[in-house]
Structure formats: C-alpha cells, structure tokens
Amino acid sequence: MTVKISHTAEIQKFFEEAAGLTNDQGSPRVKQLVLRIVQDAAKIIEDLQVSDDEFWTAVDYLNRLGARSEFGLLVPGLGLEHFLDLLQDAKDAEAGLSGGTPRTIEGPLYVAGAPICEGEARMDDGSELNEATVMFLEGVVRDTEGQPVAGAVVDLWHANTKGNYSFFDQSQSEYNLRRRIVTDAAGRYRARSIVPSGYGCAPDGPTQECLDLLGRHGQRPAHIHFFVSAPGHRHLTTQINLDGDQYLWDDFAYATREGLVGKLRFVEDAAAAEARGVQSRFATLAFDFEVQKAPAPAAEQRSQRPRALQEA
C-alpha cells in the first residue's frame, strides 16, 4: 500500500516553514521557487515510491555532478536548455514576433571578455596548424527587413581539433578560438580560424553515467557558438552545427535546428591557398544572421545567470 502525506495541512505547513514563508526576511521569489521544488520532490518520492537508498544515491550523484562542474552539461543533455528555447519561441509566437535566425542553446562553455576586433579577426593562436584545417568564416548581420546592421557585436567561440575549449583546457592559450567582432558599415564580419571538432561527455563523468542509464550517447557534432547583439535589436544566442558530421541530427544536447546548419566548403587549389596566405587546403564557411528589432520598451537581454568565469 502506498502511503501519501505530502498533501496534508501539517506537511504543507512544514514545507512553508522550510521554504522561509513564515518569516519576513530573504527573497520572496526564492521562497516561492523553493516551496514548489520541495513540494514537487515530495510528490515524486511518494508517487514513484522512491526508496531511501535511491534518495541518497541521488544526493551522492548531485554532489559528484557539482564536484565535476557538470551541471551545465547535464542540463542540455536532459533537454531542459532546448525546452527554454522552445518556450521562448512559443512566447514570441503568442506576442506576434516572427523572423530572425533561430535561437538555440548557449551551453556551459562561454567565457566573457574575449578580445574585440573591428570587422575581422584571427581566432586561433597557430598552435594546431599541423593538425588543423584553416577555416575562413564570414557573413552579414541584417535585420528582419534585410538591412545590414553596422556595429553589431558577433561574439563567437568554438572547440579546437580535439574538441576542447580554451580556459577549460589549460594547454590552450588565453582566449584561443574566442573573439568578439564588430560588424563593418555593411554589417559584415570575417574570421580566420580552424575547423573545430565535435566532442563527447567525459566517459568517466557523472553526465555520461546518467546518459548510460538512459541508454543514450553523449556526443556533440562540430559546431560554432554565437552571441549577436546590437543596440535596438534583440540579443541572439545561437550556434551553427557543421554539415556532414555524423552527430549533426543526433546531438545529445538537442542544439541542431533547421536553419542552423553550416556548410563547409573545402578548397584544394594551391593558388587560392597562396592568395589566402595558407600553405595547403583550407575551408570556407559563410553564415548570415538576421536579428529582430527590439520590441518597446526594451530589448531582450541575454540571461544573467551567474558565471564564475564571467571575468576569467
């Protein structure tokens, strides 16, 4: 027989006390959220008959997840970050907002403060030229009426040939493969970089441990992250996943969306390589962005979630 007590007045009053609702200190919003979390957790324990062993195993798992700084990896892996995008899409549709480049997840590996460049930038530090294929990336930022947006900031970052990101990978130089590019008068941005690799969750980490129990892999296709922002326009958080990758439409983080697939073109011509200042084959990638004008009274702002790396 299943015993349930969470709905009783006595237990509900207890939860309200635990969530701080019986005092006038602290944050009302945090209290509201904590009360709901505690109430829903109690219902899960009752409805699914969670045993004590299962409960403390979950607590241990969360401790290990935090110790490995993998909360930000598990959230997209469970589809929650993609859900936030779908929810915002629905809110936009309800408000009659349409058009623009699709949004998709930010992921956990952004680092603020990358070098800022006017019009064009070199992103790599040259340390992987023997293994990497040089990539020339360019595009135009326009509004939804097709007009170029001058002075937009294109903040982009991606992994190296091993699927690792600078800062988190201490072998890389500071801000390697991370730049901010201000678009020129025609809304154009250009970057020289290297073709990135996809990556997988650490096989010995708690995120992959959870995915294994769900019968799922933890692989991501090669991709490039972007923030695009400009005065009077809504901030765009998106990424382009690269065509031809085996995980393009099987991304464990659910980031691939129609309209966000980048097509690399590989060039084998020696004269073209010399003209570009490279020694051998290279790749080109063109991708334009369309940003919505900000509805009155203020532009949508990028999420201000806490980042220990904000000033890294």
Side-chain angles (χ1 to χ4, degrees):
M1 182 177 73
T2 301
V3 177
K4 295 186 177 182
I5 63 171
S6 67
H7 64 285
T8 65
E10 180 182 6
I11 296 299
Q12 287 298 311
K13 183 179 179 181
F14 167 60
F15 286 159
E16 289 173 5
E17 180 181 346
L21 270 69
T22 57
N23 69 69
D24 58 3
Q25 305 299 310
S27 165
R29 177 60 172 169
V30 172
K31 293 179 182 184
Q32 178 188 33
L33 292 169
V34 169
L35 178 62
R36 180 61 181 270
I37 291 168
V38 172
Q39 289 172 329
D40 287 356
K43 281 188 61 63
I44 291 171
I45 290 170
E46 290 179 335
D47 292 348
L48 299 181
Q49 301 182 53
V50 175
S51 70
D52 286 357
D53 283 346
E54 288 174 325
F55 178 86
W56 291 111
T57 296
V59 170
D60 174 69
Y61 175 79
L62 292 175
N63 283 335
R64 291 187 289 111
L65 190 69
R68 288 282 291 256
S69 299
E70 288 195 12
F71 270 109
L73 193 60
L74 184 63
V75 165
L78 295 181
L80 291 173
E81 197 169 0
H82 181 56
F83 169 75
L84 293 178
D85 290 333
L86 297 178
L87 180 60
Q88 189 60 54
D89 289 349
K91 290 179 180 179
D92 285 354
E94 182 72 19
L97 299 172
S98 61
T101 299
R103 60 173 56 86
T104 195
I105 71 170
E106 174 184 330
L109 299 172
Y110 176 72
V111 176
I116 192 162
C117 309
E118 297 290 334
E120 59 185 302
R122 175 154 180 182
M123 296 182 62
D124 70 297
D125 61 9
S127 62
E128 290 191 289
L129 288 183
N130 291 333
E131 309 93 57
T133 299
V134 173
M135 174 180 68
F136 293 97
L137 171 64
E138 63 181 6
V140 178
V141 178
R142 298 184 177 90
D143 63 23
T144 52
E145 297 174 353
Q147 297 302 307
V149 180
V153 177
V154 179
D155 192 341
L156 63 162
W157 68 102
H158 65 76
N160 65 5
T161 60
K162 300 178 179 65
N164 297 324
Y165 287 78
S166 61
F167 184 87
F168 304 92
D169 173 15
Q170 295 295 307
S171 71
Q172 297 185 50
S173 62
E174 186 178 32
Y175 292 115
N176 187 41
L177 307 175
R178 300 177 184 272
R179 289 295 185 275
R180 290 175 292 164
I181 305 172
V182 180
T183 59
D184 65 16
R188 296 173 298 190
Y189 73 95
R190 297 185 180 91
R192 171 178 165 167
S193 192
I194 59 174
V195 176
S197 172
Y199 67 85
C201 298
D204 63 341
T207 300
Q208 189 59 56
E209 177 184 335
C210 178
L211 294 173
D212 287 342
L213 293 171
L214 300 177
R216 295 179 48 208
H217 70 74
Q219 300 296 317
R220 293 222 58 207
H223 56 280
I224 304 169
H225 293 271
F226 293 88
F227 291 150
V228 183
S229 57
H233 296 78
R234 300 179 77 187
H235 178 96
L236 173 66
T237 298
T238 195
Q239 62 184 267
I240 53 176
N241 288 359
L242 301 184
D243 193 30
D245 193 292
Q246 64 174 318
Y247 295 107
L248 177 62
W249 295 105
D250 189 22
D251 180 358
F252 101 95
Y254 302 104
T256 309
R257 306 189 74 177
E258 294 288 350
L260 294 178
V261 178
K263 297 184 181 296
L264 284 171
R265 185 173 72 90
F266 290 94
V267 180
E268 306 281 354
D269 185 274
E274 183 178 1
R276 291 272 195 167
V278 297
Q279 299 298 314
S280 58
R281 98 193 263 265
F282 62 92
T284 62
L285 175 60
F287 200 89
D288 296 343
F289 295 97
E290 190 178 85
V291 291
Q292 296 178 354
K293 290 184 178 178
E300 175 189 359
Q301 298 298 313
R302 177 162 63 88
S303 64
Q304 296 300 307
R305 59 178 172 156
R307 286 188 182 84
L309 309 177
Q310 199 78 31
E311 302 302 327

